[in-house]
Each structure stands twice: as C-alpha cells, then as structure tokens.
Amino acid sequence: MNQYLLSIYQPDGPTPEPEVLEPILRELQALNEEMQAAGVWVFAAGLHPPETATVLKARGEEVLITDGPFTEGKEHLGGFTVIEVDDLDAALHWARRLAKVLRNLSVEVRPFQS
C-alpha cells in the first residue's frame, strides 16, 4: 500500500457564506466517512489562513523567520487528506470524489516517498 497526499488549494479571500460552505462541509464529512469505511483514510485536516503561517529558511548559520506564506499567490494550501491505497489509479479515484465535493477547488495528488 502507498500513501498519497491530496492537497486542497483554495483562492485567497474571505470564507464563503454559510449557505455555500455548509453543504460542502456536509459532503466532505460524508466522503471522509466513506474513505474511513473503505480503509483508505489515514488523516485529514483543514488549515488556518495563510497569514497565520511562519516560514523558516536557513542562510548560512542563521535561520531567517518570516510571517506569512512562503510564496505570494492567489491560492493557498487550505487543507489536505492522506490516504493509503494500492496505486495512483486508486488515489485518483478518491481525489476525483474529493474534487467533486469541493466544487471549483483544485486537488493535487502526490505520493509519499517510501
């Protein structure tokens, strides 16, 4: 079995209104429960907004610490799910399901190194 990271990217900006967000969260919970029942779900979490990030980078002997996300962009990592499946095709199956639940948000699929 291989582990895959399903990264969820969302646009910068305010949180959607409750009437938009609540149905998505219900569907996401149902999908998480389905993945758990299928035995593929390892871990999932949403993240605080990018402005809460702290980035550290070594420069020689010093470590520079800055507030905010590593890159400037119009999207940020909003959350993730870790799954354990046989192969990329199985990971893509669950990623498709996740992308449908999350409507217009992008989902990136990447395997963990073994």
Side-chain angles (χ1 to χ4, degrees), residues 31-112:
L31 180 59
N32 283 340
E33 290 171 2
E34 188 176 340
M35 285 191 277
Q36 289 170 357
V40 302
W41 189 90
V42 176
F43 180 73
L47 300 172
H48 286 281
E51 59 269 10
T52 64
T54 304
V55 177
L56 292 81
K57 184 172 184 174
R59 299 233 172 142
E61 293 298 314
E62 293 185 39
V63 176
L64 178 63
I65 299 175
T66 57
D67 292 334
F70 176 67
T71 60
E72 294 291 328
K74 295 182 179 173
E75 289 185 320
H76 61 273
L77 181 62
F80 62 89
T81 300
V82 176
I83 59 173
E84 190 166 46
V85 293
D86 289 332
D87 55 28
L88 178 60
D89 288 337
L92 292 175
H93 164 78
W94 291 107
R96 278 187 198 94
R97 301 279 311 278
L98 183 58
K100 286 180 180 179
V101 166
L102 298 174
R103 317 296 197 272
N104 295 320
L105 301 184
S106 298
V107 176
E108 177 184 299
V109 178
R110 292 180 72 180
F112 282 93

